[in-house]
């Protein structure tokens, strides 16, 4: 029992290092956009295109990541993509022109897409292997990595404005995180394991070549992810403007919007794994997204600074566990489903803030934030159509060939069949 706990803690720490790595890397270079803008004399439009190209790179990684997962496994894919992301910082520093900068940003997006799928596959497989919920804490580590990057950027720029010095220090931090990840990432299934896989049932549909069509449950997961990330992304981008322009909060108080959302998300993710064990993933997503949608809607109707901040807190609390739970459910369906869900999440983060901006420009920001509230409620609706996996966190004393109770998804195999090469 002690050995199992030690193995779990080592794997948890290693995979958490991957999540921290991704949050730290992205926040590092985004925090220095003003310096990149000045160095290459860019306008706001070109900076916006740079960010969009990064998002597009992450979205187009979907056709490749599923096949790469099956061929090389999540451990190899996570390691290689992390190395590429470290080199991206050097590319951003040395890029001699804007077109080269766009290429580097696109490469960053592709590598982010690969690492996002690989690290979530590792996290989901860890939950299955050790029968312990952990994905929400892993996503909290991602947020902690972003916070660490922001603090480092602030500290370095107080001493020097040199971009190369900042990115060199950041690269050293990334190297340490990657070394830590190597100490406990879960091994991928041996290549020969596929040869012993059971034969498909006689009435099972034949597999298609190329990119497989998503199943109905995967489509619902994708919808839940895209509307969940629309909610999350829009709150990050528009909460301060809503407080200042609509509620008429002071300049000093306006940034509290994103602060409230972020703090509530981190706190909720630290405790959400316990809630998942007690209540189940499906109930957490349904209740949480309903609280987010109704809380924000009531805040929009009430107006005022205090009701608005309470509504924003409801959003941070309610959507915190949505993406971790959906990633776990998608991983149980295989690498194709996980890659598709990750791509839809990227699409939501990319398109959500822009969509709210279009709506606000056509009507008002109140209506735009109303769409955010509606998006959260759509997540609750989608959650009713997903067959959520469950875990038995009690010590497993049954024979090795007995599947854990509650671990068989209605539309898929028992968790014993979830492998890192496929999940």
């Amino acid at each position: 029992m002690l050995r199992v706990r030690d193995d779990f803690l080592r794997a948890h720490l290693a995979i958490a290092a991957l999540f921290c790595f991704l949050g730290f890397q992205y926040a590092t270079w985004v925090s220095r956009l003003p310096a990149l803008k000045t160095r290459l004399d860019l306008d706001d439009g070109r900076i916006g295109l740079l960010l969009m190209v990064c998002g597009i790179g992450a979205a187009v990684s979907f056709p490749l990541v599923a096949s790469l997962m099956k061929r090389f496994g999540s451990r190899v894919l996570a390691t290689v993509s992390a190395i590429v992301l470290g080199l991206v910082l050097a590319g951003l520093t040395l890029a001699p022109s804007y077109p080269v900068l766009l290429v580097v940003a696109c490469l960053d997006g592709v590598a982010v897409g690969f690492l996002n799928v690989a690290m979530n596959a590792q996290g989901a497989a860890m939950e299955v292997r050790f029968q312990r919920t952990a994905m929400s804490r892993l996503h909290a580590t991602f947020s902690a990595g972003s916070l660490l990057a922001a603090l480092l950027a602030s500290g370095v720029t107080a001493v020097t404005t040199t971009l190369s010095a900042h990115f060199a220090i950041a690269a050293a931090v990334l190297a340490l995180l990657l070394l830590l990840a190597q100490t406990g990432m879960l091994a991928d299934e041996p290549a020969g394991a596929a040869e012993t896989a059971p034969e498909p049932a006689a009435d099972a549909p034949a597999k298609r070549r190329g990119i497989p069509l998503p199943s109905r449950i995967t489509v619902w997961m994708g919808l839940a992810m895209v509307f969940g990330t629309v909610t999350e992304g829009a709150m990050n981008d528009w909460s301060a403007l809503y407080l200042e322009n609509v509620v008429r909060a002071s300049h000093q108080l306006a940034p509290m919007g994103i602060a409230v959302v972020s703090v509530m998300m981190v706190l909720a993710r630290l405790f959400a794994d316990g809630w998942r064990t007690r209540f189940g993933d499906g109930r957490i997503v349904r209740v949480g997204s309903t609280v987010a949608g109704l809380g924000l809607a009531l805040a929009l109707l009430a107006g005022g600074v205090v009701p608005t901040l309470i509504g924003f807190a409801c959003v941070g609390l309610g959507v915190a566990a949505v993406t971790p739970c959906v990633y776990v459910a998608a991983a149980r369906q295989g690498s194709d489903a996980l890659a598709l869900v990750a791509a839809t999440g990227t699409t939501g983060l990319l398109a959500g803030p822009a969509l709210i901006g279009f709506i606000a420009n056509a009507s008002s920001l109140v209506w735009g934030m109303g769409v955010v509230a509606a998006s959260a409620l759509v997540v609750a609706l989608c959650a009713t159509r997903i067959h959520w996996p469950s875990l038995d966190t009690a010590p497993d004393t049954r024979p090795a060939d007995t599947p854990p109770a509650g671990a068989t998804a209605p539309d898929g195999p028992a968790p014993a069949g979830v492998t890192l090469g496929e999940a």
Side-chain angles (χ1 to χ4, degrees):
M1 183 64 65
L2 184 61
R3 173 66 182 274
V4 172
R5 185 180 65 180
D6 291 343
D7 289 345
F8 171 77
L9 291 176
R10 183 168 58 252
H12 193 182
L13 181 62
I15 299 169
L18 289 178
F19 279 79
C20 185
F21 183 106
L22 186 56
F24 182 87
Q25 191 273 348
Y26 184 75
T28 291
W29 75 266
V30 170
S31 68
R32 298 308 304 272
L33 281 176
L36 290 171
K37 179 180 179 181
T38 301
R39 186 171 70 84
L40 295 177
D41 192 23
L42 306 177
D43 56 24
D44 290 339
R46 289 191 172 189
I47 290 296
L49 179 60
L50 181 71
L51 294 173
M52 181 169 289
V53 165
C54 180
I56 291 173
V60 300
S61 67
F62 158 62
L64 297 174
V65 66
S67 59
L68 291 176
M69 281 275 291
K70 293 175 182 176
R71 183 171 183 178
F72 300 107
S74 61
R75 180 170 185 165
V76 172
L77 186 61
T79 301
V80 173
S81 57
I83 293 173
V84 171
L85 287 172
L87 295 175
V88 160
L89 294 183
L92 292 171
T93 305
L94 302 174
S97 62
Y98 182 65
V100 175
L101 194 65
L102 289 178
V103 173
V104 175
C106 185
L107 178 63
D108 180 85
V110 173
V112 165
F114 288 167
L115 182 54
N116 185 34
V117 173
M119 69 185 190
N120 277 286
Q122 283 272 325
M126 180 181 69
E127 288 196 346
V128 171
R129 180 169 300 184
F130 296 102
Q131 293 295 286
R132 298 276 297 275
T133 52
M135 189 67 87
S136 294
R137 289 193 298 275
L138 293 176
H139 280 258
T141 309
F142 173 89
S143 301
S146 299
L147 177 60
L148 176 62
L151 294 175
L152 178 64
S154 178
V156 171
T157 52
V159 177
T160 176
T161 58
T162 305
L163 196 64
S164 57
H166 177 198
F167 283 3
I169 297 173
V173 174
L174 292 176
L176 291 176
L177 289 171
L178 182 56
L179 287 175
L180 178 59
Q182 296 302 310
T183 63
M185 272 196 291
L186 301 181
D188 298 298
E189 181 167 318
E195 300 173 1
T196 61
E199 293 293 329
D203 57 347
K207 290 186 177 180
R208 298 174 180 265
R209 293 185 179 274
I211 300 175
L213 294 176
S215 65
R216 182 173 56 188
I217 190 174
T218 302
V219 171
W220 284 112
M221 291 177 190
L223 289 173
M225 181 65 81
V226 72
F227 282 104
T229 52
V230 162
T231 304
E232 184 177 338
M235 291 303 298
N236 288 335
D237 286 18
W238 290 102
S239 57
L241 287 173
Y242 181 85
L243 278 169
E244 186 170 340
N245 297 338
V246 178
V247 184
R248 304 300 180 186
S250 65
H251 294 295
Q252 294 77 18
L253 193 58
M256 285 299 296
I258 187 171
V260 166
V261 174
S262 300
V263 168
M264 290 303 297
M265 286 193 69
V266 171
L267 290 177
R269 283 176 172 174
L270 290 175
F271 292 98
D273 286 317
W275 301 339
R276 292 174 57 209
T277 301
R278 182 173 182 179
F279 302 110
D281 289 10
R283 184 177 299 178
I284 292 298
V285 173
R286 290 192 300 269
V287 174
S289 53
T290 300
V291 167
L294 293 181
L296 181 57
L298 291 175
L300 298 177
L301 292 174
V305 173
V306 173
T308 298
L309 290 177
I310 293 175
F312 288 178
C314 289
V315 175
L317 174 65
V319 303
V322 169
T323 51
C325 290
V326 176
Y327 272 126
V328 169
R332 301 297 182 89
Q333 300 295 314
S335 57
D336 292 327
L338 180 59
L340 176 60
V341 167
T344 59
T346 302
T347 302
L349 285 173
L350 178 67
L355 174 64
I356 303 308
F358 292 143
I359 295 173
N361 186 59
S363 54
S364 70
L365 188 52
V366 175
W367 282 104
M369 297 299 284
V371 171
V372 177
S375 297
L377 295 176
V378 171
V379 174
L381 176 62
C382 294
T384 64
R385 310 300 300 173
I386 298 173
H387 293 166
W388 297 95
S390 60
L391 292 174
D392 181 5
T393 56
D396 194 355
T397 58
R398 289 161 297 190
D401 58 348
T402 303
T408 302
D411 286 355
V418 179
T419 65
L420 289 178
E422 289 289 333

